Each structure stands twice: as structure tokens, then as C-alpha cells.
Amino acid sequence: MSAEKAVDLQFVAPHVLQIRMQDRVSKNTFSEGITEGLMEAFAEVERQPDCKVVILTGYDNYFASGGTQEQLMNLSDGRGAFTDRALYSLPLQCPVPVISAMQGHGIGGGFVLGMFADLVVLGRENIYTTNFMRYGFTPGMGATFILPQKLGLALATEMMLSANNYRGEELQQRGIPFPVVPRDKVMAHALELAQTLAEKPRVSLVALKDHLSASLREALPATIAQEVAMHAVTFAQPEVKSKIATLFGA
């Protein structure tokens, strides 16, 4: 993929493919370029028999920023659902291990996307937030499923109910089970980890990932259905549309 595209795919080490989200115009919200680019990139990973590990990362201070204002307004008008394209679960469904190198801010669905990876590296200075309730609607994108799995129920519940911002350093102090390093070291840490995985046979990596993620893949659809049902209720509130219109990007 060319550097001009919103998502760039390239080998950064033997057997290690990097998927880089770089839509500077949208600040890595789930624009059409990001959405199509991610789906194409993960499809290409499956066509690359030499790929053993994927690193998913962003650009500068942004990892991924979640839904666009237009997408959220459409949901508030009852048009479509986040399930129309299952962007959130691409790392989970990928046959080889995926490392989220979250070198920048992870916001809303963008943070959730990173949590669906097999391994995660966070930056100390960055902001991570599940800010759905800031606008008054309940979390989607599988957040209510994957966050308790990866962060623990107590912290995940607090993050989703409060919609507060958390620096990586604060999450580290709260005991999250991921490495948290200076943001300019995130990619190097992820690459070192990827190269360790890439020493293993691809067949074995694929078999082990399939086994470890099987229970997650099986349980996810029921939670997604529940999130969609909550959206039908919570997005319909007039104050939600007002908050999306006035607070988005503030």
C-alpha cells in the first residue's frame, strides 16, 4: 500500500508485518479510509504466508480515535449499527498474533480496537479512554466484553461508567497487565516482542492463537447483540444527539 493511503502495510522485520493507521485529516477516527484500509490490510495479512506477527500502530500522538461525528449522528438517528462492518474484532480474527503498539492516544472505539489484540503495549504519556458515556450512549464495539477480559472487571467498569481520561502511567499504577513504556519507546518494545514471536514456527503460532482466542470468539457475538440492543435505547435520547453535536472533538 502506498504511503498516501490512510492505512499502510509493510514488513518492518523478517516475518513481521506492520499495519499503520495514518489518516492525519481525521486524526485516526474510523473514517472511510481507515475502515476500508484496515479491512484490506488484515485481509492481505491472510494472503501473506511469510507473515508470523502483525504490529498494529498509529502515527505521531494518535493510535486510533473511534467513530467519526457523522457516524455517531447516524447512530443517533437510527441509521446503521457499529456491526455493519466488524472493524473492532479484526485483530481477534486475524490468524497470526497481533500486537497493538499504542504509541498515541486511544479513544473510545480506538482504545477498544487495541484491546482486541493478543498483546498490547501502551505509552506512559498517552490518553486512553472509553468515552462513550461522555455523550450519554452506552459502549459499543465489543467494549463491554473485551475490557473486563483484558483490564479486569473493576477498572473496566470504572472506565466505561466514568468516561474519564487515563494516562498510560496511571493505568500502569492501577496494575494493568500490559507493558507501559515512554511513548517514543512503544514501537521499539513492540518490535522486540514481535521478533521474539517470529522466531517460532508459523504453524505453531497460528494453532496456539486459535486455541487461546477460541473462547473469546465464541462468546463475543452474544455481547455484541446486547450492545446493539442498548444502543437502540440509549442513542434515541435527544440529549445524546445534542452532546454529540456540541462535545465531539472538544
Side-chain angles (χ1 to χ4, degrees):
M1 295 185 180
S2 67
E4 290 75 29
K5 288 193 174 183
V7 177
D8 180 67
L9 178 68
Q10 60 179 297
F11 279 98
V12 291
H15 310 296
V16 179
L17 268 173
Q18 175 185 274
I19 297 176
R20 184 172 187 258
M21 298 174 283
Q22 52 184 25
D23 189 341
R24 296 174 183 272
V25 174
S26 80
K27 295 180 178 178
N28 277 0
T29 55
F30 294 149
S31 63
E32 192 65 20
I34 287 286
T35 301
E36 289 293 334
L38 283 175
M39 297 183 78
E40 290 173 8
F42 275 100
E44 181 61 26
V45 168
E46 297 197 36
R47 295 190 289 266
Q48 292 284 344
D50 198 41
C51 175
K52 296 183 180 182
V53 190
V54 170
I55 297 177
L56 178 65
T57 193
Y59 77 92
D60 296 351
N61 290 334
Y62 291 95
F63 173 72
S65 303
T68 67
Q69 186 175 39
E70 180 182 9
Q71 289 165 346
L72 298 182
M73 291 298 281
N74 284 340
L75 291 174
S76 73
D77 288 334
R79 297 197 299 272
F82 70 85
T83 51
D84 291 345
R85 289 185 286 189
L87 191 68
Y88 52 91
S89 62
L90 287 173
L92 178 65
Q93 303 297 342
C94 184
V96 299
V98 177
I99 301 171
S100 284
M102 300 179 69
Q103 84 318 318
H105 307 314
I107 300 169
F111 180 68
V112 177
L113 174 67
M115 292 298 105
F116 271 102
D118 303 285
L119 300 168
V120 178
V121 184
L122 301 183
R124 288 179 190 161
E125 305 91 337
N126 301 326
I127 289 172
Y128 302 106
T129 178
T130 53
N131 63 341
F132 306 91
M133 290 286 280
R134 181 169 184 252
Y135 304 104
F137 61 86
T138 48
M141 302 287 292
T144 62
F145 173 79
I146 201 64
L147 296 184
Q149 291 279 346
K150 294 297 179 75
L151 302 175
L153 180 60
L155 179 57
T157 299
E158 178 187 315
M159 290 185 74
M160 288 187 281
L161 283 173
S162 71
N164 285 340
N165 294 339
Y166 296 78
R167 295 281 180 184
E169 185 175 23
E170 180 181 355
L171 293 177
Q172 185 178 37
Q173 293 168 352
R174 298 288 296 272
I176 63 165
F178 311 128
V180 181
V181 300
R183 63 184 170 201
D184 61 352
K185 306 292 185 185
V186 168
M187 189 59 203
H189 189 97
L191 184 57
E192 182 179 355
L193 186 57
Q195 289 173 311
T196 299
L197 270 61
E199 295 171 358
K200 283 71 175 175
R202 185 182 189 277
V203 169
S204 300
L205 289 168
V206 170
L208 183 55
K209 169 162 181 175
D210 183 62
H211 172 71
L212 292 173
S213 62
S215 61
L216 299 179
R217 295 196 310 272
E218 291 166 7
L220 179 60
T223 301
I224 295 298
Q226 293 167 343
E227 289 184 350
V228 170
M230 286 192 293
H231 276 183
V233 175
T234 61
F235 264 108
Q237 302 171 91
E239 67 179 287
V240 169
K241 181 178 288 190
S242 175
K243 286 179 181 292
I244 294 170
T246 58
L247 297 179
F248 191 90

